[in-house]
Amino acid sequence: MLKFILRRTGASVLVLFFASVLMFLLTINSGDPLRDLRENPDPRAAAMMRARILSMGLDDPAPVRYWNWLQGVLGCFTGQCDLGTTVNGSNVLALTSQAAGSTLRLVTLATLLAIVVGIGLGILTAIRQYSGFDYSVTFGAFLFFALPVFWAAVLLKEFGAIRYNNWIAEGQYAPLTIVVIAVVVAALLQGILGGSNRRRLITASASFVFVAAIMFVFNAVDWYRNPVFGPVMVLLVAAAAGVLTTALVTGLKNRRVLYAALTTAVVGTVAYLAFAYSGVLTEPTWIVMAGLFVLTIVVSVAVGYLWGDYAKRESMTVTTITGVITSLLVVADQLVGHWASFLGLKSRPISTIGAETPQFSGGFWESMLDKGAQLLLPTLLLALVSIAGHSRYTRASMLEVMSQDYVRTARSKGLSEREVIVKHAFRNALIPITTIVAFDFAGLIGGAVITERVFGWKGMGQLFQQGLEAVDPGPVMAFFLVTGVAAVAMNLLADIAYAFLDPRIRR
């Protein structure tokens, strides 16, 4: 396995080298880097041209310029990284660090969301093949996959930002809107759950009544502007997540694992109350939040180990997942509790330009809400395209695996459908999916160029665009380095994941 990874790494380095040569040559020959100065009537323009020619090495032949750039990149391995300067004299390495942080924050969240939702939808559609739910998801996947990114971004800005900001001033849904939303939810749920016509009717009716009643209550208490979640809801949702995780990993018959999951939810909620009343969560720092997250993992693993008995590994897996979900619910509860104060500081919460509000004066939770609101629309846009692809690949891979002999043998042995799907079909179906997910991450960084331009993000897309417009190879090659290294790193992770998913590959 090690030799295989080393060979793949060597091949990837060669690909990066030849691709970087091509990218460099295309960039320096894409225009005139002195065009703005040639048209400048300023008498100092000639001196400025000479200075730019000297700083960019325009008198040197292309191989020499490329070698100078490559030497700076190789210096990164010795701690002397030098990616050059832009035409304006700015340090490219500093600009890349700032831009990469902004883009990776956007792309990482979109990738995680796409993996969870896309793979989940793919599994459900494979299980419910040719059902109404399957057809609906398939239609939606092809629709979102075919949407032009720039057009979808404009639609999101219009309906997800501008019109939402107008609506939140009152925070009330009209009765007709409530009825329409309830009908849509009822139609979706009855399609997902399926069953006989009688069961579908009961599901649709109950869903319609529940959604409509909840939305009317929310209107009455002004919940959309002053929302409340609370520790009780944290406990209930965390317990439900623990039950669901147990059902997927071991089945509900394993009572010790189920009790471990429920214990984790209870311990997490009690710890939340303790930290909340002690003031730790009033105005925390990111270091404090990271420490609390590590503590959550440690406690969750300990609970799983103590409850696990003969199934310690499965128990610790379930409690860790439950603990992470509980911690996310705690953060969500704090954000919900600070929503009203956030609206007091920013009456139009979702901006259409930028990654955060300049000179925002809120506390820790309000600042997180501000950055989260700015992150919402571009993340949703990138995730929708990836979800469409992931769901289709997952469905196809699951259908192919579920028709194999060993899956039919597993069913004939009397294994439960959960064991057949989770332990036999899904694990083997993950191998081709892993490849798609790995390359999709690097692809999202490249695809974020248009998204960042529409939403005004100062990320890698803006750096790439500015470098191309100025015929400046420094920023363009920095963009290539980030995306290329991301592609290589994700490819290596995919190779390692193959060995974990299929032990035969290790040999």
Side-chain angles (χ1 to χ4, degrees), residues 8 54 94 98 207 238 249 266 310 343:
R8 295 297 296 270
L54 181 63
Q98 181 181 3
S207 302
V249 176
V266 172
Y310 62 88
L343 288 181

Side-chain angles (χ1 to χ4, degrees), residues 178 182 185 189 203-217:
I178 293 177
V185 173
L189 284 180
T203 301
S205 301
S207 302
F208 175 83
V209 172
F210 178 78
V211 172
I214 287 293
M215 294 188 70
F216 275 113
V217 171

Side-chain angles (χ1 to χ4, degrees), residues 108-119:
T108 301
L109 185 58
T111 302
L112 293 176
L113 183 63
I115 290 173
V116 174
V117 178
I119 293 180

Side-chain angles (χ1 to χ4, degrees), residues 349-417:
I350 301 181
S351 302
T352 57
I353 297 296
E356 58 184 285
T357 304
Q359 300 178 343
F360 187 75
S361 59
F364 177 85
W365 297 109
E366 288 81 6
S367 297
M368 184 182 289
L369 280 169
D370 177 57
K371 294 178 181 178
Q374 305 300 88
L375 192 64
L376 177 64
L377 296 184
T379 298
L380 183 61
L381 176 62
L382 292 175
L384 282 176
V385 179
S386 295
I387 287 172
H390 291 351
S391 65
R392 293 298 85 202
Y393 282 113
T394 303
R395 179 182 182 274
S397 184
M398 282 290 293
L399 289 176
E400 180 181 358
V401 169
M402 288 171 67
S403 63
Q404 299 295 318
D405 291 339
Y406 65 85
V407 174
R408 288 196 293 267
T409 303
R411 284 198 174 100
S412 66
K413 288 166 57 179
L415 295 180
S416 65
E417 192 65 15

Side-chain angles (χ1 to χ4, degrees), residues 30-54:
S30 62
D32 182 9
L34 302 175
R35 180 182 56 189
D36 58 324
L37 296 178
R38 296 186 197 280
E39 301 171 354
N40 194 339
D42 194 321
R44 297 172 300 175
M48 295 168 64
M49 288 177 60
R50 288 192 296 271
R52 182 176 296 182
I53 291 172
L54 181 63

Side-chain angles (χ1 to χ4, degrees), residues 146-166:
L147 280 179
V149 174
F150 61 89
W151 184 67
V154 172
L155 289 181
L156 279 177
K157 289 176 68 172
E158 174 65 24
F159 294 98
I162 298 173
R163 297 200 182 187
Y164 174 81
N165 289 334
N166 295 337

Side-chain angles (χ1 to χ4, degrees), residues 29 47 83 202 230 252 290 316 374 416-417 422 463 482 504 506:
N29 290 287
L83 300 184
I202 293 175
L252 296 179
M316 288 189 290
Q374 305 300 88
S416 65
E417 192 65 15
V422 175
L463 190 69
V482 173
R504 294 173 298 178
R506 302 173 196 171

Side-chain angles (χ1 to χ4, degrees), residues 489-504:
M490 294 305 294
N491 192 23
L492 288 178
L493 289 177
D495 291 336
I496 296 172
Y498 294 157
F500 175 75
L501 294 169
D502 189 349
R504 294 173 298 178

